[in-house]
Amino acid sequence: MRVIRVLVALAIVVLVPVLTASAAHATIKGPCTASGKISATTYDASRASVKIPRSGDVDWKGAINNGGSGRRQIEGKVYIKLPPPIPKLQLAGSWNGPSSLYANSGTYHYDLPSALVGPKFTVSGHHAERGAVVCSGSIEVQLSGSPIKNPALIASLVITVFAILNFFLALRTKVV
């Protein structure tokens, strides 16, 4: 019985990080370009992973280079993909309706919660025309700042300490 407990504990310690790890990457699929500039740093798909401030202003720009012209129906959005069971968080970057623009730019102010400081997560977006997705992209993002102030990390550390104490209490031998 004791061997089974040890094996289960080892499996949890080894498998949870392996199963929840994600590869850092940035992609843009389709005839589009997109970038964002925060302070003096420009971020685009040439970077595998980025570290950005928890809050700030991003000067963004995007363009579609499919040789089209004229008005057409467009739709798109930008969102943050968080770890399960938390759903995607849509940013204010969304668009829908008829347009004759093939390039656009602007400034977006963001202020993300401290619970996101520390782990990496994916920021994704897509652009569709006439009901079909033409372009999509994503980039791995990590928020700068002290992970010690992250309430999720603090709760996780407390639970880990209690789990380790419980593990050692379960393994102790009884003297008769």
Side-chain angles (χ1 to χ4, degrees):
M1 186 70 162
R2 182 172 290 151
V3 173
I4 292 173
R5 287 183 192 163
V6 171
L7 290 176
V8 168
L10 285 174
I12 290 171
V13 168
V14 172
L15 290 177
V16 168
V18 169
L19 294 176
T20 59
S22 63
H25 67 284
T27 61
I28 291 185
K29 297 177 184 172
C32 294
T33 59
S35 65
K37 185 176 181 181
I38 302 172
S39 298
T41 307
T42 300
Y43 303 97
D44 58 21
S46 65
R47 296 174 174 244
S49 179
V50 298
K51 194 169 206 174
I52 64 171
R54 190 172 70 81
S55 66
D57 293 317
V58 58
D59 296 320
W60 59 269
K61 60 183 175 180
I64 182 164
N65 310 311
N66 64 355
S69 63
R71 267 179 111 62
R72 78 265 186 235
Q73 190 69 22
I74 64 170
E75 179 273 328
K77 61 184 164 189
V78 178
Y79 56 89
I80 299 174
K81 185 178 178 185
L82 300 169
I86 305 168
K88 294 177 189 175
L89 174 65
Q90 183 173 329
L91 300 175
S94 64
W95 52 98
N96 193 4
S99 178
S100 58
L101 294 176
Y102 284 79
N104 205 354
S105 62
T107 300
Y108 174 70
H109 177 75
Y110 68 94
D111 189 9
L112 299 170
S114 62
L116 296 178
V117 173
K120 290 184 179 182
F121 53 90
T122 304
V123 174
S124 299
H126 76 268
H127 174 80
E129 295 189 4
R130 298 176 183 94
V133 173
V134 178
C135 300
S136 62
S138 66
I139 189 164
E140 293 290 320
V141 174
Q142 185 176 25
L143 299 180
S144 61
S146 174
I148 300 299
K149 296 179 182 176
N150 183 335
L153 174 67
I154 294 169
S156 175
L157 290 174
V158 169
I159 291 170
T160 301
V161 167
F162 281 119
I164 290 170
L165 286 173
N166 188 30
F167 177 73
F168 284 115
L169 287 174
L171 287 180
R172 71 180 180 167
T173 58
K174 293 184 180 184
V175 180
V176 182

